[in-house]
Amino acid sequence: MDTLSCDTTLLSLMRNNGAYDYNRELVTPQVSLWDWVMQKLEEFLGRIFGEVTGHHLTLPLVIMAGLALLGLILWFLYKYRPELFFKNKKNRFAEEEEGETIYGIDFEAEIKRAVSRGDYPGAVRWVYLQTLRYLSDTHQIDWQLYKTPTQYVYECRESAFRELTNHFLRVRYGHFEADASLFNEMNRLQETLKQKIVVPSVTTEEGGEA
């Protein structure tokens, strides 16, 4: 009987020829979601601006859209969950509002209230603000809302005030532990400062001193 013979050389040539690769029609290409989105976006832009221009615009537009989306998400978080951006925001602002002015405050009452509840950091703060009020009333400093404690040190160069300011800064901003001994030291420095400052006397129209 006659048998069929296979031309292996011809078969090898056909396998290596892409025109005869019929299996590729049946295999789904491995395309990621990102590649698919980029391809569709590029096709959309190509229809509007042309193939070449659309290809060059694809990546910059994707970056801009991503940044816009990120900004929108951050805006919503800031609007509805501000505590994610500021630690204990409400209490922080309340403390800043308390220290906005040195006028109209009963310092003695505030100091006693802080000490009675064991809030020595608060007591130290009130003693410092009370000292600023005294220095302002005796014209040793020019108190302004925007000024920092360091600026007042340059205006009043008494060593007691410099040391008192350093204690306040360490407690207020350096998270230094305040206790009864530090509170007593603040009071001692305040009294020392008052003894060194000579309050100018007020001369009346008759030439006498008030």
Side-chain angles (χ1 to χ4, degrees):
M1 295 178 60
D2 294 334
T3 58
L4 296 176
S5 61
C6 178
D7 189 342
T8 57
T9 302
L10 179 60
L11 181 61
S12 177
L13 290 175
M14 293 176 67
R15 284 177 175 174
N16 294 327
N17 190 340
Y20 297 98
D21 186 11
Y22 301 112
N23 289 332
R24 66 182 177 182
E25 302 293 336
L26 303 176
V27 177
T28 303
Q30 299 297 322
V31 180
S32 65
L33 178 61
W34 172 256
D35 292 334
W36 181 84
V37 172
M38 292 292 290
Q39 180 182 351
K40 294 301 179 182
L41 180 60
E42 186 174 332
E43 293 174 358
F44 174 74
L45 294 175
R47 288 195 296 269
I48 298 177
F49 301 103
E51 293 295 335
V52 177
T53 306
H55 174 73
H56 289 292
L57 287 176
T58 302
L59 185 58
L61 284 179
V62 169
I63 294 175
M64 292 174 61
L67 292 176
L69 180 60
L70 178 61
L72 185 63
I73 293 174
L74 292 176
W75 181 81
F76 272 105
L77 288 175
Y78 179 79
K79 184 175 179 62
Y80 297 104
R81 295 292 302 277
E83 67 274 8
L84 298 177
F85 295 86
F86 300 105
K87 182 179 179 182
N88 205 5
K89 181 180 178 182
K90 183 177 180 180
N91 292 339
R92 181 171 63 86
F93 284 155
E95 286 184 354
E96 290 179 357
E97 290 173 357
E98 288 178 357
E100 283 184 350
T101 181
I102 59 175
Y103 297 100
I105 300 174
D106 187 346
F107 287 107
E108 293 298 335
E110 294 295 342
I111 291 172
K112 289 181 180 178
R113 188 177 297 113
V115 172
S116 65
R117 61 173 181 261
D119 179 18
Y120 288 104
V124 166
R125 174 172 172 268
W126 286 120
V127 170
Y128 178 75
L129 293 178
Q130 184 184 44
T131 305
L132 290 183
R133 172 64 187 271
Y134 175 80
L135 294 176
S136 177
D137 290 344
T138 55
H139 307 289
Q140 303 300 311
I141 62 172
D142 177 24
W143 183 87
Q144 297 293 336
L145 181 63
Y146 59 85
K147 286 186 176 181
T148 65
T150 304
Q151 289 176 285
Y152 295 125
V153 171
Y154 287 122
E155 295 180 27
C156 178
R157 296 183 175 275
E158 293 290 342
S159 59
F161 179 60
R162 186 186 309 108
E163 190 174 350
L164 188 144
T165 301
N166 289 337
H167 287 315
F168 166 75
L169 291 176
R170 281 195 291 267
V171 172
R172 181 69 169 167
Y173 303 106
H175 305 290
F176 186 80
E177 187 68 25
D179 53 17
S181 62
L182 180 60
F183 170 69
N184 293 332
E185 176 67 8
M186 293 286 287
N187 284 322
R188 185 190 68 80
L189 290 170
Q190 186 187 72
E191 289 300 320
T192 300
L193 182 63
K194 289 181 178 180
Q195 294 174 6
K196 290 185 177 181
I197 293 176
V198 178
V199 179
S201 58
V202 180
T203 305
T204 62
E205 294 182 357
E206 289 78 11
E209 293 184 354

